[in-house]
Amino acid sequence: MTWTVPSRIETERLVLCRYTPEDAEALATVAARNREHLVRYLPWTREEPQTVAQRRQYIATSTADFDAGRDHTLGMFTRDGGELIGGTGLHVRSEPVDHVEIGYWIDAEREGEGLVTEAAAALTRVALELLRVPFVGIVHAPTNSRSAAIPQRLGYARQPSCGSPTCTDGGDSVVPVEWHATTEALANEPLASTPRPTVYDADGEPIPWPA
């Protein structure tokens, strides 16, 4: 299944958008300084630090995947100032049915401000209302309490364990905790009172929300 994900999503405090080559230096800097903060749960950080040239190649690959509908990686930037503070995205999954999964990470210096919750709430609304996916998923290692707090706050429903070790905790592969949200979650707080974000296509044109 291929969904047309907005290229830019604006919330009260954030801009979630596709990386451009101009973001390579900032991405190299922010990812490298957060290696120890992230490495337990995000295997890609084991390769840090990476050069600006390596980050440009990553951005080129991410752009190709976004254009093809294979994956949708987004940088997390401050709306006031445009500072890169993390990453997120809507990642295409096919089990048990076609759906998308929200991933996220944030600079350790910006933890505790509710920014990841704000980003995840916006992406949940985009996925369920705009893309019309059957459900949105969030997965994390059982010991990752910070990641667990996001779906809990947003009213996601915890799912039975699938029994397959597909998540990372340090050097181990572990069975993840999985959460789902369907359109029913939009009628409950806090999503019910979360404003729809402003969304734009690849040409910078506003995308209208369904009535």
Side-chain angles (χ1 to χ4, degrees), residues 18-207:
R18 299 167 63 164
Y19 290 115
T20 69
E22 289 72 28
D23 298 318
E25 185 171 354
L27 182 56
T29 299
V30 176
R33 77 166 177 244
N34 280 278
R35 183 187 186 281
E36 296 308 311
H37 169 56
L38 300 172
V39 71
R40 178 175 180 179
Y41 299 116
L42 296 178
W44 60 266
T45 59
R46 296 172 188 165
E47 306 301 321
E48 296 300 331
Q50 293 196 20
T51 66
V52 173
Q54 286 174 309
R55 281 302 173 190
R56 286 199 186 98
Q57 181 56 52
Y58 165 77
I59 290 169
T61 300
S62 297
T63 298
D65 287 341
F66 205 113
D67 289 340
R70 290 186 295 264
D71 194 51
H72 307 94
T73 298
L74 300 165
M76 190 185 305
F77 299 83
T78 58
R79 189 167 178 178
D80 180 14
E83 177 189 3
L84 175 64
I85 59 170
T88 187
L90 290 173
H91 308 301
V92 178
R93 301 291 184 256
S94 59
E95 295 294 337
V97 297
D98 290 337
H99 66 284
V100 295
E101 188 176 284
I102 299 174
Y104 40 76
W105 65 272
I106 193 167
D107 191 334
E109 296 178 358
R110 303 304 299 262
E111 280 191 333
E113 300 179 36
L115 294 168
V116 175
T117 301
E118 185 173 320
L123 290 174
T124 300
R125 298 208 69 152
V126 166
L128 294 175
E129 291 188 87
L130 197 60
L131 307 184
R132 307 284 190 174
V133 301
F135 67 89
V136 186
I138 292 176
V139 301
H140 59 82
T143 58
N144 193 343
S145 58
R146 283 193 175 274
S147 280
I150 306 302
Q152 289 176 16
R153 289 191 194 110
L154 295 179
Y156 278 58
R158 183 167 175 168
Q159 303 301 301
S161 170
C162 66
S164 178
T166 58
C167 201
T168 298
D169 189 343
D172 299 323
S173 292
V174 297
V175 177
V177 177
E178 185 167 356
W179 305 78
H180 291 175
T182 65
T183 53
E184 294 177 356
L186 298 174
N188 303 320
E189 294 300 334
L191 288 173
S193 58
T194 299
R196 286 171 164 174
T198 306
V199 291
Y200 300 89
D201 64 19
D203 295 323
E205 294 297 323
I207 300 173

